[in-house]
Amino acid sequence: MTADGSEPREGGWRVYRFANLCLEERSLVLSRDGQALEIEPKPLLLLRHLLQHAGEVVTREELLQAVWPGRVLSETTLAKAVGRLRATLGEHDPPLIVTVHGFGYRLVAPVRVEAAAAEPRSALALQPGDSPPLRPHWRLVQRLGGGGQGETWLARHQHHGEQRVFKFALDAGALSGLKREITLFRLLHESLGEAAPVVRVLDWNLEQPPCFIESEWLAEGSLADWASRGPGLAALSLPARVELVARLAEALARVHAMGVLHKDLKPANVLVAGQREGIPDLRLADFGSAGVLDAARLRALGITRLGFTQTLALPAGGGSGTPLYLAPEVMAGQPLTVASDLYALGVILYQTVIGDLRRPLAPGWEAEVADPLLREDIAASAEGNPARRLSDAQELARRLRSLASRRAEREAEQRERQRAEQTRRDLERLRARRTGLRIAALALALGLGLSLWAYRDARAARLQAQQVADFLSQDLLASLSAGERPAREFTVLELLDQAAAQVEARFTGQPRGEQVVRAALGRGYLRLQAYESAARELSQALALARAEGEGSAAALGLAVELLPLIHVAGGFVEREAEFVGLLEAGRARLGDTHPDLLRLQTQLVQMRYRHGRWQEAASSLAVLLDRLPERSAEPHLRGLRSALLHLQALIQQDLGQLPEAEGQLRRLLQEDPGEGLPQATLRASLAEVLRQRGRLDEAEAELAQALRIYQRWGREQDGEVQTVRHRQALCQADRGELAAAIQALQGVVETVAGWNMGMDQSGIARRDLGELLLRGGRLDEAVTELRRATRSQAALLGETHPLTRRARLSLVEAQLAAGDADGAQQSWRQPAPLAFDDLPPTHPWQALHGRIEAGLRAAGAAAPGR
């Protein structure tokens, strides 16, 4: 038996060794320290099945079917057999077999499997012309393959001539593999539809032996067959071979996105389904040893988990695949993961590039691959260390399909490095003659570059650019040079302040020029995190744009930039009607699909969401999504729809709809799995959903990827990086590393509290820190942090925001734990009785609310009626 619970490809008896016990499969003798034990037949068969699936959670249904096939028995029968088995095995610390409540049982002891001498198995005695059971109109035509477990045959319908593949099972182990294939095909088909990149399972017979599944027949056979037949792989150019593997990577990525591992990826298990542009289209086949990462997907789709019962954790030790494609960590006994599938894909990439699908990836392989970028891609996907290995098949597809642009980009980077070095030397020479040159160049780029962005008409752009350039060179820089301080001593912020003080006088009677400069100054302040100054300049620029005509594109664009700053300052509610009016004017002037109009609509939805009006935001978002086409050739519409779907996932998360949020985020990442800031934000959001669902390994992996991207683009104190640090601390706490989590979260609170944004942004981090302190029994500190969190959230978001009420709820809990029932009652009642009537009844906060309310009553401080 292989370590993932599937049966081996070839026959042979096995010996299972665990603890001080041994089970010989051939004789079905169980012994302890060499002495045979007395055990009844049914508990013995039960033990054999658990050993065959060591490390897995095996459902009660599968155990009943394996030990009492075809009989309808109560769970009491199984429980008694498990009890007798445990009594025979004796006491062990920890126990060898554990009960997984609600599912079944799991054998947790490490198991060593040894091969014993195999005796020939009986064949199925199938012959050409035979009809499979329950299929009288089908005739077997040709045996395609077989082994110790079963046989695969090509069959043809005797009336209409259709051909199918029948895979027969010889024994219970092979039957389990067939059931696994059925289950995973249903999962992939119901999740991905007809476009699922897998060989279709059309029907099956699990009732009358020999059991079988029926699959579609693809005449060109496997990738290995196609490559060795006729011109095959040798006839493809290198770009075509690269595209072939990109298609395979894309197919594997779609399977992984549904939570399925293949675990036996190789050319023989990849079938050719026709050709497109002279390159084979591919489908994955043979999921008999595959695994599923999340059984919740099966439950959500109503699929019975036939053939396997794994939950989140895949079994450790070895692999069921072909040694040529097994990752080093799997051969060393580690669990199969997405990374181990990627290793096999990397080997196939190497083989395809060199044109030989039988060549092993041996030391020195780099000499056979001339293209340095392809060498990088092979090394990244077939890296021996799984921690450094490429972890996303879609990313490999993207890299392969962007070879030309990556090559051009690398050449451009080389030229840019050379140019930068030359510029550095030139600047060193110029600095000696004119120390103010750097400030002047920065100011000119800020004003001129952004003014060109604002105006699409070429003549108007030249006029505005000239006005801005004159302002910078003749007014601003001249005033700096005439001052008491040298120009070189001014900071960029001081430069912007000087410009802001002079702009109104300089552009009297020139509203467009003033608008452009103020907008540029606002963006400059924003980059320096001077948010109050940024809001001031952008507000004045917006007023100038509106004065020229309500609903103009310039006004809408400025409104989009200004809205987040107004939210930070706490003025959105007061000015919401103003922006709604601007939106309506823009719709009348520009139509429903103008990019800036859609961006402003999106911002308004986001603001309502950020102000805690989650249900209202969800409704507005649904309306906006209905106006957008699901697929569009316009890049701005595609990008906007992705942003809206991300926002929808955030709202689903806040409303407690975690499976829906996870599915939405995974689809977005699958559509655009790149390495930019949007993808990092998606991964950070997905990580929080996974954490709340208890899947900490996956959550931490997503956070690590997001952090790597954020750090490439920004600084440690940036909000995005601190969000990742915050969520990493929560993962630590969920793993039981409470002291380390508290220390990490304290660092986040200190950083966020130090932001110069005119308003304390640390409320959520403080609330989580207070809850961790409460869990650690540090009650006084917990109450202090939660009181500050509540005040911060109320000042930033308002007393009625769900997050403010959530902080109050934690404060009440901490006060009760500290013995301050009166304080808890006061926090519960003021400024209004705590309730979450605006959230779904199934929301997790409702249960917490009920528990704390009961605690208040028990403490003698009865909460008011809701």
Side-chain angles (χ1 to χ4, degrees), residues 96-240:
L96 302 181
I97 300 173
V98 298
T99 302
V100 181
H101 296 288
F103 289 93
Y105 300 91
R106 181 158 65 101
L107 192 145
V108 296
V111 177
R112 181 159 54 92
V113 184
E114 301 172 357
E119 285 189 349
R121 297 185 181 216
S122 62
L124 290 172
L126 298 172
Q127 299 293 330
D130 289 351
S131 292
L134 307 179
R135 301 294 188 271
H137 300 299
W138 290 88
R139 296 289 183 266
L140 301 182
V141 175
Q142 178 186 355
R143 189 175 186 269
L144 301 176
Q149 287 192 288
E151 299 174 5
T152 304
W153 283 77
L154 174 65
R156 181 181 295 112
H157 198 280
Q158 63 180 354
H159 297 313
H160 50 66
E162 180 184 356
Q163 297 187 110
R164 290 185 184 175
V165 174
F166 283 69
K167 182 186 290 187
F168 296 91
L170 178 64
D171 57 17
L175 179 59
S176 179
L178 296 187
K179 291 179 178 179
R180 189 182 297 246
E181 288 201 57
I182 295 167
T183 301
L184 292 179
F185 173 76
R186 291 186 60 197
L187 169 63
L188 294 170
H189 186 265
E190 293 188 25
S191 301
L192 300 174
E194 292 298 327
V198 297
V199 174
R200 290 179 297 165
V201 175
L202 303 173
D203 205 348
W204 52 81
N205 158 42
L206 303 178
E207 301 171 5
Q208 182 175 331
C211 300
F212 58 81
I213 59 173
E214 300 176 37
S215 303
E216 64 178 324
W217 162 247
L218 299 175
E220 295 192 73
S222 71
L223 180 60
D225 296 335
W226 175 87
S228 61
R229 184 174 57 244
L233 193 59
L236 292 183
S237 64
L238 180 59

Side-chain angles (χ1 to χ4, degrees), residues 26 123 162 201 324 332 409 450 587 605 662 703 707 732 858 864:
R26 178 177 177 179
E162 180 184 356
V201 175
L324 184 62
E409 182 179 346
L450 291 173
R587 180 176 289 113
V605 172
E662 180 187 349
L703 287 172
L707 182 62
Q732 282 183 297

Side-chain angles (χ1 to χ4, degrees), residues 791-844:
R791 289 199 300 265
S792 171
Q793 294 294 76
L796 179 65
L797 304 173
E799 294 284 0
T800 61
H801 195 287
L803 293 176
T804 304
R805 287 178 277 148
R806 178 65 176 80
R808 278 178 59 201
L809 193 61
S810 294
L811 174 60
V812 172
E813 184 179 27
Q815 289 171 317
L816 281 174
D820 182 10
D822 291 339
Q825 184 182 28
Q826 183 177 7
S827 298
W828 183 275
R829 290 179 173 175
Q830 295 179 0
L834 262 176
F836 292 97
D837 295 328
D838 53 338
L839 297 181
T842 57
H843 196 285

Side-chain angles (χ1 to χ4, degrees), residues 515-537:
Q515 175 196 328
V516 170
V517 172
R518 289 199 181 279
L521 290 171
R523 297 181 192 109
Y525 279 123
L526 187 59
R527 291 295 299 273
L528 297 176
Q529 297 185 2
Y531 299 109
E532 184 176 346
S533 297
R536 181 193 68 228
E537 295 300 323

Side-chain angles (χ1 to χ4, degrees), residues 677-696:
L677 291 176
Q679 289 73 30
T681 305
L682 286 171
R683 292 191 182 281
S685 300
L686 175 59
E688 179 58 13
V689 173
L690 293 169
R691 185 192 71 82
Q692 292 183 28
R693 302 192 73 186
R695 291 151 57 185
L696 299 182

